Amino acid sequence: MSPTAQGDTPKDAPEHCPGTESTQAGKAEACAGCPNQQVCATTPKGPDPALITSNLRSVKHKLLILSGKGGVGKSTFTSQLAFALAHDPETRNSDVIEVGVMDVDICGPSIPKIMGLEGEQGHQSGSGWQPVYVQDNLAVMSIGFLLNDPDDVIIWRGPKKNGGYYIRLLVFVTPSSHPA
């Protein structure tokens, strides 16, 4: 497929191209005659489960903090638990526990504010988005880091905002020398 000009639309695509990630890619009326039509129609869409599994393999413990309701303290609990795990006094002079918080609340990401990271930005690299570090062993990634202004609105529909759950994922990696 041709390199992309903007987003997921190939440079040589027709004017009304639905984009390579669309379920209509290669199938929409606008795709007729496009040199990328066959590639777009057959390329898998969405996240790669094998890549996600591979990336999470090194994470020994994963905790999911979720609720179907807002305002119940998920962000507060997540941030306090993350700080507590990262500051575990039993690991001070031995192996350090690495803790990560992933905030996927698109309705009002508050983790950056609660954890003192307002104004920080996420950085994209060849291996994906890089988290912001609160301290050497406590990393945070939030949709809030991707917004230009904390008051910006995120409009996602369908598969991007599915299920109506507000989620915080707290992950922490214990060094291999620690018992399971």
Side-chain angles (χ1 to χ4, degrees):
M1 187 178 306
S2 301
T4 59
Q6 179 179 13
D8 67 343
T9 304
K11 271 191 208 177
D12 55 353
E15 183 181 350
H16 298 291
C17 173
T20 59
E21 289 294 315
S22 167
T23 57
Q24 291 299 306
K27 301 172 190 167
E29 196 174 304
C31 300
C34 176
N36 304 304
Q37 185 175 13
Q38 183 61 33
V39 174
C40 290
T42 57
T43 302
K45 311 293 184 268
D48 179 359
L51 179 62
I52 294 169
T53 300
S54 172
N55 287 345
L56 288 175
R57 190 167 284 131
S58 65
V59 179
K60 190 169 184 178
H61 302 283
K62 302 160 197 81
L63 299 175
L64 184 64
I65 294 105
L66 65 100
S67 170
K69 181 179 182 342
V72 295
K74 295 173 297 298
S75 295
T76 301
F77 178 79
T78 299
S79 62
Q80 293 306 304
L81 182 59
F83 279 119
L85 291 169
H87 284 66
D88 185 355
E90 293 183 20
T91 62
R92 271 288 174 232
N93 297 319
S94 60
D95 293 322
V96 175
I97 295 174
E98 295 177 33
V99 180
V101 174
M102 185 171 79
D103 176 16
V104 293
D105 184 350
I106 62 169
C107 296
S110 57
I111 287 287
K113 185 173 194 164
I114 289 174
M115 298 188 83
L117 299 171
E118 268 188 309
E120 295 289 336
Q121 295 281 315
H123 301 283
Q124 193 170 20
S125 72
S127 60
W129 287 97
Q130 301 303 307
V132 174
Y133 281 84
V134 178
Q135 56 194 48
D136 288 343
N137 67 328
L138 177 52
V140 177
M141 189 60 211
S142 173
I143 195 83
F145 296 145
L146 309 180
L147 302 174
N148 291 328
D149 183 315
D151 294 327
D152 282 352
V153 175
I154 303 165
I155 301 173
W156 282 351
R157 294 181 178 92
K160 289 184 180 174
K161 184 182 180 189
N162 197 0
Y165 288 99
Y166 302 91
I167 302 170
R168 307 290 180 281
L169 177 63
L170 172 70
V171 296
F172 60 102
V173 181
T174 52
S176 57
S177 61
H178 277 232

